[in-house]
Every structure is written in structure tokens, then in C-alpha cells.
Amino acid sequence: MAINLCFPKPQVSTTFLLYKFPDREDSHKFCNMGSEAEIVRKPRFLCLHGFRTSGEILKTQVHKWPESVLQKLDLVYLDAPFPSQGKSDVEGIFDPPYYEWFQFNKEFVEYTNFDECLAYIEDFMIKNGPFDGLLGFSQGAILSAGLPGLQATGVALTKVPKIKFLIIIGGAMFKSPSVAEKAYDSPIKCTSLHFLGKTDFLKEYGMELVKKCVDPVVIHHPKGHTIPRLDEKGLETMLSFVDKIQNELLDK
């Protein structure tokens, strides 16, 4: 299928301005290993928001996490390519504008503008990368978890480095048979962290996604379809995950 590469100008949260350049002093620190000085780079994530929300809204939600977590990650928030085509569930809670990554039918098995969405994300990653991983919530989480498989099968992100890490919040798997066939052709081997809410309507589907991953780390929380605050146990798990991916970057 031909892909329209005439995209609207990417809308990026102001946080992007803080984290745009990977060689900034606040994106690195120095550590001594023996007699050698080595640059330690923060893991850099492209953050994909939920359906009919925005990068700025996701930033607000993620910033409920403590500074001890946020200061160890380089987070870039991107708005989806398509303005909301209907009412947003967050109207009255968060200010517009709202965006969506792609559209779907009532059964969630037929997608519209999906190829355009994939090309839009890749175009942004080419111009503003490299990125080590993806962080996603809701529709953004479904996209984030499916992109490594689509990348491995040559469907998407063929011109950017391999995705190494995933942070999935309120996620699930693609239901479109043609997309799922390629996205989950093999187990998801990225180092991944998953948030599963006790009352999240997507919890069952999030658990199915976890089973598709190799050695996933899971944080269970008592809330619903939301980005939760981190309790003591969740914070410990989160910091352990961040340390793990930091070490993986050092080993590369």
C-alpha cells in the first residue's frame, strides 16, 4: 500500500525542547570505571499518548512519578498525526487540543490511516532520534508494544535503530488480523515493563500482551485505565528496571 508522506507538522510537547539534544549535559553523567572515564547516557524514550489526548497530557500524567525516576530517563512527547475526530474522554479534565494515532471500526479489527501513522512516527524518529525505546499509554501503548515486531518483519521503522526497551501502560495487542500477524510473528524480545491496573478494562488484554514478551517486568496497581502513581513496591520495581536498561546501554 502506498504511504502518503505529506504529514502535518509534528506537534511536540515542550518537554521535547528540554530533552531534544542527547549530548546535553543534563542527558549525561560521567562515571569512572577503573582508570577509564565513560559517558553514561540516559535511556531515551519516544512517548506515545492515548487515544484523543496529546503529548502534553501524557507528560502531565507521567510526571506523577517521582523525580528519582524521571531524572534517569530522557523522555520525548509527540502528538499523534490526526486531530481528534470525536469527543475525547478527557474533556473537562485536560485542555485540548486532542489527537489520535489512527482510526478503527467498532470491532477494532479494521484500521484507517494506520500506514500513515507508522510513517509519521518513523519520520519523526529519523529527524529527532536516535531513540532507545518507546513509552506508551492506551492506544499509544498498543502501538508501542506492536512496533518492535513490525520493525522486525520490515513493516515499520526500517530506517531507524532497533527498538530496545518498552514501557507499556494500559496496553493490549492489535486486533486487526493482518497487523497482528506481523506484529506478533515472534516473541517480543525488548526489555519491557508493563503496568496492569486491577480495574482496567484492558487488563485481560494487557496480560495477553505480557505473555508475548520475553522476561517482562510487571507492576500491578489498584487503579483502572490510567497512569498510576508509584507506591513503594512499584517505585522499587521501576528503579530496578531503569537500572537494568541503563546497564544494557553500557554493554552495547
Side-chain angles (χ1 to χ4, degrees):
M1 178 183 297
I3 298 175
N4 177 12
L5 294 179
C6 296
F7 307 120
K9 183 178 180 181
Q11 300 297 311
V12 187
S13 163
T14 52
T15 299
F16 174 70
L17 299 177
L18 299 178
Y19 292 104
K20 181 175 180 181
F21 303 103
D23 58 348
R24 282 184 46 152
E25 290 183 4
D26 57 358
S27 289
H28 293 74
K29 61 181 180 180
F30 290 88
C31 67
N32 291 320
M33 301 186 70
S35 59
E36 298 181 0
E38 186 168 340
I39 296 177
V40 179
R41 179 170 57 82
K42 294 180 182 180
R44 194 162 191 251
F45 284 80
L46 179 59
C47 304
L48 308 182
H49 61 78
F51 186 61
R52 293 179 180 171
T53 64
S54 69
E56 188 64 30
I57 291 172
L58 179 60
K59 172 189 168 185
T60 300
Q61 294 170 314
V62 167
H63 275 237
K64 292 187 291 187
W65 295 346
E67 190 63 26
S68 59
V69 171
L70 297 176
Q71 68 183 0
K72 293 187 174 185
L73 300 172
D74 186 357
L75 303 176
V76 178
Y77 299 86
L78 175 66
D79 287 331
F82 303 104
S84 175
Q85 297 186 13
K87 181 177 175 61
S88 170
D89 288 341
V90 301
E91 282 186 27
I93 303 173
F94 295 105
D95 293 332
Y98 311 121
Y99 303 92
E100 52 197 57
W101 296 102
F102 58 92
Q103 298 79 42
F104 42 83
N105 66 354
K106 291 182 179 180
E107 293 75 30
F108 303 101
V109 297
E110 295 181 6
Y111 300 157
T112 304
N113 291 318
F114 187 71
D115 288 346
E116 289 81 358
C117 167
L118 298 182
Y120 171 84
I121 292 172
E122 181 169 39
D123 184 64
F124 182 83
M125 294 178 77
I126 290 170
K127 294 176 179 176
N128 301 282
F131 293 94
D132 302 303
L134 299 171
L135 179 154
F137 171 62
S138 196
Q139 189 184 38
I142 295 172
L143 259 177
S144 296
L147 278 169
L150 295 177
Q151 186 180 44
T153 53
V155 175
L157 307 188
T158 59
K159 300 176 182 178
V160 298
K162 181 180 177 182
I163 297 168
K164 297 182 283 292
F165 313 127
L166 294 174
I167 298 177
I168 305 299
I169 310 161
M173 296 167 63
F174 290 122
K175 294 188 70 175
S176 165
S178 61
V179 176
E181 178 183 13
K182 296 178 176 65
Y184 316 116
D185 178 63
S186 60
I188 300 170
K189 298 179 181 179
C190 298
T191 304
S192 62
L193 173 65
H194 304 254
F195 287 77
L196 297 177
K198 184 176 182 180
T199 61
D200 188 346
F201 69 93
L202 286 182
K203 181 182 179 181
E204 174 186 349
Y205 306 103
M207 292 173 67
E208 291 177 0
L209 173 61
V210 167
K211 293 176 183 178
K212 283 286 184 179
C213 298
V214 176
D215 297 328
V217 177
V218 179
I219 291 178
H220 295 274
H221 64 88
K223 302 294 185 179
H225 195 61
T226 187
I227 298 176
R229 297 182 185 277
L230 295 170
D231 59 17
E232 184 176 351
K233 183 178 180 181
L235 177 58
E236 181 181 347
T237 301
M238 184 79 184
L239 289 173
S240 176
F241 174 80
V242 173
D243 287 344
K244 179 180 180 181
I245 63 176
Q246 181 72 78
N247 289 330
E248 288 184 20
L249 283 180
L250 284 174
D251 292 338
K252 298 296 183 182

